[in-house]
Amino acid sequence: MTWDPSAPGVLALPSGRLVRGRGLRRPQPPGPAPELGVYLLGGEPPPVAWESRWLRWPDFRLPADRAQAAELLREAWRRAEGERVEIACGGGRGRTGTALACLAVLDGVPPEEAVGYVRAGYHRGAVETPWQRRYVRMFL
């Protein structure tokens, strides 16, 4: 079972996959829990009741380990085909938006259009820095 496409923070990818983005500084949204959470933080996140992965990704920066990031984002994209996948950072915009844009690239959105796609479908302030935009363009 996947997310409700009309729920706040849910990005619909061209393939129909649904991924929820959110900021961890806000309360958990109502509705079902994720089946996989991918947490993009500078330090280890608190434990959750569902399967989760932590990617060391300091605020306003890029992933500390880009190979691990690519592997984890590919797993999230694959699993989003039939599972509830959540991508989250502290505020839910920069790192989360960058990761969602990378998922859009994996889903077939041209890299130079992925940031715009995520800003239109998820949050207009997604992907906050020039180096995050460049990371999306160079992803894959």
Side-chain angles (χ1 to χ4, degrees):
M1 175 205 250
T2 62
W3 299 112
D4 174 354
S6 65
V10 173
L11 175 69
L13 295 169
S15 66
R17 287 174 169 88
L18 302 172
V19 181
R20 181 172 77 186
R22 76 178 184 102
L24 294 171
R25 290 192 293 265
R26 293 185 200 89
Q28 167 113 4
E35 293 169 282
L36 173 66
V38 178
Y39 302 111
L40 316 170
L41 300 166
E44 192 168 352
V48 292
W50 48 85
E51 186 179 354
S52 67
R53 307 275 190 278
W54 168 46
L55 178 62
R56 185 180 301 278
W57 191 331
D59 202 7
F60 296 106
R61 301 191 188 270
L62 297 175
D65 182 332
R66 294 188 190 177
Q68 179 192 17
E71 179 182 317
L72 190 51
L73 293 172
R74 282 185 179 92
E75 177 188 2
W77 177 80
R78 279 191 309 273
R79 291 184 60 177
E81 186 170 18
E83 296 179 57
R84 290 183 308 276
V85 174
E86 168 179 270
I87 307 283
C89 65
R93 291 177 39 197
R95 293 168 285 181
T96 296
T98 302
L100 290 173
C102 290
L103 295 183
V105 170
L106 289 171
D107 209 62
V109 175
E112 62 278 0
E113 297 173 20
V115 170
Y117 184 88
V118 171
R119 286 178 173 169
Y122 169 67
H123 191 287
R124 62 189 162 119
V127 191
E128 295 174 314
T129 68
W131 41 92
Q132 289 172 341
R133 288 191 295 277
R134 185 173 54 244
Y135 179 77
V136 172
R137 284 192 311 270
M138 303 300 288
F139 189 72
L140 288 182

